[in-house]
Each structure stands twice: as C-alpha cells, then as structure tokens.
Amino acid sequence: MLDHLARLDEHVSSPRNAGVLPQANAVGSFGTLRWGDAVKLMLRVDPQTDRIEQARFQAFGCSSAIAASSAVTELIAGKTLDEAGGFGAADIADYLGGLPPERMYCAVMGYEALQKAIGSYRGIAELGEADAAPSCKCLGVSQMMIERTIRFNRLTSVEEVTHYTKAAGSCSSCFKQVEGLLARVNADMVEDGLIESREAYRLGSTPQRAVDLKPHGAPQPATNIFAAKAAPAHLRAAPKSPPPRPAPAPVAAGVGVDAPSQATLIAQALDELRPHLQRDGGDCELVSFEDGIVYVRLSGNCVGCQLSSVTLSGVQARLVDKIGRPLRVVPVS
Amino acid sequence: MTESRVAQPPTNIVYLDANATTRTDPRVVDAMLPFFSGYFGNPSSKHALGGHAARAVKHAREQLQALVGAAHPHELIFTSGGTESANTAILSALEAAPRRREIITTAVEHPAVLSLCAWLEKHKGIRVHVVPVDRNGHLDIVAYREALSDRVALVSMMWANNETGVINPVADLAELAKEVGALFHTDAVQAVGKCPIELQSTAIDMLSLSGHKLHGPKGIGALYVRSGAAFKPQIKGGQHERGRRAGTENVPGIVGLGMAAELAAEAMADEDIRVRGLRDRLEREILARVDHCVAVGARAERLPNTSNIAFSYIDSEAVVTLLDRAGIAASMGSACSTGSFEPSHVLMAMKVAEDTVRGGVRFSLSRDNSDDDIDRALAVIPGVVAKLRAISPFDADDGPLLGRAHA
C-alpha cells in the first residue's frame, strides 16, 4: 500500500488545505470512526458568484483518505458550485495520479462530502438514509449509498463495489445482498444505456469467501453510520423529505418500556451525548421507547440541520452499544 | 566455499517490525550458501552429495530440537513456514479423529488459524468454538472449559500474540485439553526464539514455528508433533520427513533454520533483558510524550520485544505511512491482514475503545535494534501523531461517534 504514485505521495506527506475553515458557509461530512474513515469538507462560497473562494478539510483515515481529501480541496478551488458538483470519484483519483483499487472508497468519500457541502449551502434536504437498514451491517454501509456509487461509477463487479464502498469487505455476511443489489442496478443501467448488457453483473459469478469467526459476546455490528445526501440530480429525482412522524403519547416511567433497566440505560446514554449536541446549539430529548424504537425529539440547531441524520445514527450507535441489542432511533415532531 | 555477498540493510531505516519478519542473520546466510551450488545434493540420494545434505538436515533438526526442548529430533517436521505448519496441525487432527467434529481456538489467533477454521466451519460443518479474551488479552478460561468436551478434536491456541505479544499459558491449557482427549496445537511462531520452550515437559502435542521470525530465512518452518500423537500427512507423495510431509527438502532453508535456532538459543537470555529494556523505554516515552494513547496488553505477560500502542482519533495506516516517510518501519498490526476494512481483530477482541481501535501501531523489536534506534523513533513518533491529529475531525472533546457533525 505504500508504493503510491508521486502526486498521491506528495498529498500524503504534505496535505493541502488541512485544518478548520472558521468562516466556512458550506460544510459536508461523510463517514465516521466506525466506518474507519471520515472527512469534513469546509467551503467558503462567494454568495454573489457561487464560486468557491476557499476549501479546507479535516480527515480521519488512511493515507489515501487524507490525500483524496486534500485533492478535493485543490480540485474545486476557484470553481463554481455547479462546476465542483460535477466532479466524481474518478476525477479525484485521477487528480492524484490514481488510487490503489482497494482505496477507491477514499475518492468516493471525498465526492460524498463535497455533494453534502454543496447541498448544505443550497439548503437541499437530505434523504432519510440513516433510518434505512444498512446493507453491510458490520460497516454500516447503506443500500442507497451502494446503489448510487454503483451507478455513478458504473461498477460491474462485487470486488469493485467493495473497493468503492467497503460493503462486503468485512465479514462478507452481506455478500448475497450486495451481489443482488449490483445485479439489479446493473440491469437498470443496461436499460438506461449506461453499460452494455454483456458488462452487467450476473448473479453467482463471484465466489463468496468464508465468513469470519466471531467469539461469543462479540460487539454488535455497526448500525448505519452514513449521513444522508442528496443524490446527483441526473441519477434520480430528489425525493421529498419524509414528514415527521407523529409523536407517540408521552409515557410514564416504565410504561411501554420492555425493561426498566433498558430505559434507564437509554436515558443515561442520551444524557451523556446531549452536551455534545448542546455545544453546537442543538439538543436531543428522549420521548419514549417502544418495541425497540427510541423516539427522540431534536431541537435547536439539530432541527433542519443537514447532518441531523449523522447525529441520529451516532445516537443510535451509542445506544446499541449501551443496550447491547439492535435499536432504531426515530425523530418525532 | 563461496564468500558471503549479503546486502546490508539500509542504515538510515529504524526497523521496528520484527514480528512481521526479521533480518536474516549473516551467520545464517553463511551457513546456507554452500547448500545452493556447492553441496547441492538431494538428501534422499545415496551418493556423497546427497549424504552431505542429509547430514546437514539431520544437524539442523537437532539444533531445532534443542531450541524447543523436544524429546526427539524426529518430532520436528520441516515445512514451508508457520501457515503450512498450523494448517497441517488442524487438518491432521480432524482427519485423525473423524468422530470429533469440533475445534477450539481463540479470537486473537493469526489468520493462518482463523481463516482455516472459518473455512472448515462453512464448508465442512466443523463446529468452531472461538474463546474470547478480556481487555488485557487474557483468555477467558471459563469459556475455554465450557467448550471442552469429548467432541473436540483439537485445541489450537497461540503461544504469544503477534500483534500485542500477550503470552498464553499454553502448558496449562494443554493439560485441560488432555482431560477430554483432544489434541493440543500451539502457534508459537512469535514465541520461538524469544521465550524458553521445553516441549517435552508439557502436554502440547503440536507446535508451529517459522524461520524468518527468528533471524532465519523465509519459506522455511517446522511443525513439532509429539511422538505417539495421532498425525495424518497433508502433503502426500514420497517418504520425506518419515512420510509425514512429502517433497524434496529445502536444504538451504533447513540449514538456515537450524543455525537461526542455535543462535537464538545462545542469545535468548541476554537479548530478553536488552530488548525488553529497549521496548520498555520506547513504550514508556511514547506514553509520556503523547496524549490519548494506550499500550495494548501491557498489563499481561508479554513477549519482550512487542509493544502495541493505540493512538486515539487517528488511523494506524496513516501513522505507519508517515513514520515510513521518516525512516521508521512499524506495522499496523498483523501484516497479513493489511487491506481489511475492519480494525485489528485482536484489538477488537480486547475491546479497545472505538475511538482508539483503528489507531493501533505495532512496534516490534529484535536483536538488531539499539538505543539509537529508540532515540530516533522517539524523535519522530510524537510529531507524526500530532500532525495527524491536527488534521483529524475527531478529538477528545467529541462524542465517540458524533464527531463535529454540526459544525
């Protein structure tokens, strides 16, 4: 992994535009600690011209993730948002002189963060991706992210899907699901004329490796960690934001809770998280807990925030860790 | 006799990745060289050249016997390395006891064991008990006892962990396996040459070792099989290795392994003290100079050469890459698992915190290291960590999963 090309190597050793951009007016984040990589892209956009005056990043992950993030900031500097929005993962990789195939997810991460930053500037609502069941439970890769990555990058093999999204790259227990998704999206791509039918993936053409062994008492797999993002306009119609669910009637302590100790643990976990949200001017209160669903109410800056789905998935992951069983966190009005 | 023309390692690199591989000792290379083009005979041949090779193999077997304390030299079968040895032990045990359809292993084994066990479980219907470890890397003995039964063909537990150096009490664990009639194999690839081993006084049936971990050549290893233990050959062909591993012997490799074993036995006591001192200074100083990092497994009995420091909020691959740029060779953990998207399975099994588990960097020393190496490493490591943390979107003020999502 260390025999990178010269330009990539340069961006690893001396990343450009690293650090916080305090005057940013467009911010996009993608990934988390659990996924293993994360980037936060901060842009200063001229409101008169929609031109990106300055771009900076913070990145967690491997050297390629840092280099890809650095590359994005160089690539989009001075561009208009429309121009920047047209850059894909391949452009980011090309800018670096290529990425190792198994590190293409780093370029995808840069692309996703860029789209989110542009979306945040334009006030485009995000998709409710964080609430969807992840296709890859170990790494929390959502079906929607896999689908758009296949389509946007014209992927036609399971190996490529893993390289671009990490899905099925861990225990491979989601292999069949990813394979099915690839076959379905490829079929759509053939219909749309994006690929030839002979290129489309055929089910069963990739052998599945053995599933890793896990000891008894192993940690629960990760929940969905991806933030929602607006899909590229040319790939799909922008869906409407789902209406807020009606709040269940508040319940007395212990009522509607399958075990009082779990409710207590949930309340404790939320209390631990709230200072982090309050620091950013938001908040998250527990409304109730029923049938494995934790209903919460977001307030302050969390309401309408482009990244509220990231927050919710983080809350969900924390609660899953605390309780030790799958839970869903659902926002209510 | 051909004069040694061994390339010296680059002097500007501080090599702290000895658990991945070690520099072949020049004395080992010198011992091997005549067997490439001078005494090149096949040990199975009856002529003088063959006889010379056969005697060299016999001598190497005795050198190895002395290092591991085997009762007889013929208890050692030469293989291509640790992975072949471990695979052979596991497959042989299952074949030798076909009515026993269970294996016990641990959550922190090398992929040479875990991958095969996963394959056996999926494709052969073998039940695999994976015994967990605690935060210090200590095996869950209760879970181990619960898994033991007369259905178990083999227990396979590593002597010392390759990522953390944590040592298992394998002699005691083997005694427990004997109570249910199971064979006991230990992957001792990291322990041989670093820990005193006296196999004849234990109940261990099989032990795997590898030449290149103890300053021997790559591509050569051995499997110890106790006399009387059930064994089924996995590579079939000629009658090499008393019919237990077919294929013409790798004579130069075997000679090199024998010499490496002899040198390790001679140096072990002194090197234990010296290398342990270097390791401890490195670890102590990193922990003192860098915030938010932990020495994984430091509370357990460990190999003298291994330190796994997990740095919070940054990724080990980036640390290792930047260290490499600065002339420090370290590792992300097991080199064999490079490319996986999951954090180290060893660190996960030890329940290292989620904001830290991807930051585990393995520093593993050898007899080649000096005080100067440690000074040079310490001059670089804190700066590399600080540089990456300055870039990272996570820090100690963040929730473990939230990052700064609302910025």
Side-chain angles (χ1 to χ4, degrees), chain B residues 8-54:
Chain B
Q8 293 302 306
T11 53
N12 59 339
I13 291 178
V14 175
Y15 187 75
L16 301 176
D17 197 15
N19 286 9
T21 194
T22 51
R23 183 175 72 111
T24 309
D25 192 298
R27 293 167 289 182
V28 169
V29 176
D30 284 343
M32 293 169 65
L33 284 175
F35 293 91
F36 284 103
S37 52
Y39 298 108
F40 59 86
N42 186 325
S44 298
S45 299
K46 297 303 175 191
H47 48 63
L49 273 179
H52 192 92

Side-chain angles (χ1 to χ4, degrees), chain A residues 9 13 34 170 307 311 318, chain B residues 325 342 354 387 400 405-406:
Chain A
D9 195 67
S13 299
R34 186 168 289 185
S170 182
L307 300 175
T311 305
R318 171 67 78 88
Chain B
R325 301 292 186 275
E342 278 201 330
E354 192 163 23
K387 180 177 179 177
H406 278 71

Side-chain angles (χ1 to χ4, degrees), chain B residues 293-361:
Chain B
C293 60
V294 293
V296 182
R299 292 184 178 180
E301 186 187 357
R302 279 185 299 169
L303 293 174
N305 77 318
T306 308
S307 178
N308 192 316
I309 309 283
F311 300 98
S312 302
Y313 320 121
I314 54 177
D315 183 274
S316 60
E317 195 270 357
V319 177
V320 168
T321 300
L322 293 192
L323 287 178
D324 181 59
R325 301 292 186 275
I328 312 293
S331 168
M332 294 169 262
S334 169
C336 304
S337 57
T338 301
S340 168
F341 294 124
E342 278 201 330
S344 151
H345 72 285
V346 175
L347 269 54
M348 283 199 294
M350 294 172 71
K351 301 170 187 65
V352 173
E354 192 163 23
D355 55 11
T356 306
V357 71
R358 289 185 182 270
V361 179

Side-chain angles (χ1 to χ4, degrees), chain A:
Chain A
M1 290 308 304
L2 301 181
D3 54 347
H4 297 146
L5 298 172
R7 196 163 192 184
L8 172 60
D9 195 67
E10 198 183 321
H11 279 265
V12 171
S13 299
S14 303
R16 314 291 196 273
N17 309 309
V20 175
L21 180 61
Q23 65 274 38
N25 56 2
V27 177
S29 296
F30 190 81
T32 65
L33 282 168
R34 186 168 289 185
W35 190 58
D37 290 274
V39 62
K40 180 178 175 184
L41 194 60
M42 294 154 276
L43 313 179
R44 177 67 201 171
V45 181
D46 181 344
Q48 304 301 317
T49 62
D50 265 6
R51 198 167 289 280
I52 298 168
E53 295 175 327
Q54 202 176 355
R56 295 181 73 83
F57 79 94
Q58 288 181 299
F60 163 82
C62 66
S63 52
S64 296
I66 292 169
S69 304
S70 171
V72 171
T73 61
E74 292 273 273
L75 201 59
I76 63 175
K79 300 285 191 299
T80 64
L81 289 182
D82 283 343
E83 290 167 340
F87 289 123
D91 299 306
I92 297 166
D94 287 348
Y95 182 84
L96 291 168
L99 279 169
E102 64 274 20
R103 296 289 183 190
M104 277 305 293
Y105 67 84
C106 298
V108 171
M109 183 170 69
Y111 163 80
E112 296 274 346
L114 175 60
Q115 295 299 327
K116 286 168 67 67
I118 294 170
S120 81
Y121 182 81
R122 291 175 169 166
I124 297 172
E126 297 177 27
L127 305 180
E129 209 164 325
D131 285 341
S135 286
C136 173
K137 290 179 182 173
C138 293
L139 298 169
V141 188
S142 77
Q143 181 174 318
M144 291 169 70
M145 188 268 191
I146 297 171
E147 192 173 321
R148 66 171 169 267
T149 303
I150 292 170
R151 195 172 173 89
F152 193 83
N153 297 284
R154 303 190 182 190
L155 309 182
T156 55
S157 73
V158 176
E159 187 183 36
E160 282 181 320
V161 175
T162 299
H163 290 163
Y164 278 68
T165 68
K166 299 192 184 184
S170 182
C171 74
S172 84
S173 57
C174 63
F175 177 88
K176 293 287 182 195
Q177 199 177 349
V178 170
E179 191 189 29
L181 193 59
L182 176 63
R184 181 170 60 75
V185 176
N186 272 193
D188 291 344
M189 291 162 69
V190 171
E191 273 190 25
D192 296 344
L194 293 174
I195 57 173
E196 299 287 331
S197 59
R198 59 182 165 75
E199 296 175 284
Y201 183 77
R202 293 191 317 279
L203 282 175
S205 57
T206 306
Q208 182 180 359
R209 64 183 173 87
V211 175
D212 292 344
L213 293 168
K214 301 286 182 192
H216 298 296
Q220 291 290 320
T223 51
N224 188 353
I225 49 90
F226 281 103
K229 76 169 275 298
H234 64 285
L235 292 183
R236 62 177 70 250
K240 293 175 183 173
S241 298
R245 296 161 201 264
V251 291
V255 179
V257 175
D258 60 358
S261 60
Q262 290 196 356
T264 306
L265 287 171
I266 290 169
Q268 284 173 352
L270 278 176
D271 283 342
E272 289 168 12
L273 291 172
R274 291 177 68 188
H276 300 292
L277 304 177
Q278 288 165 349
R279 189 186 60 192
D280 293 321
D283 207 344
C284 176
E285 297 173 64
L286 174 64
V287 175
S288 67
F289 172 47
E290 296 174 7
D291 300 323
I293 300 176
V294 181
Y295 294 95
V296 298
R297 182 179 291 113
L298 298 177
S299 58
N301 285 346
C302 290
V303 177
C305 172
Q306 293 293 314
L307 300 175
S308 59
S309 57
V310 172
T311 305
L312 287 171
S313 61
V315 169
Q316 181 167 294
R318 171 67 78 88
L319 296 182
V320 168
D321 284 350
K322 191 97 177 177
I323 307 302
R325 72 178 182 84
L327 291 170
R328 281 185 64 210
V329 175
V330 174
V332 295
S333 56

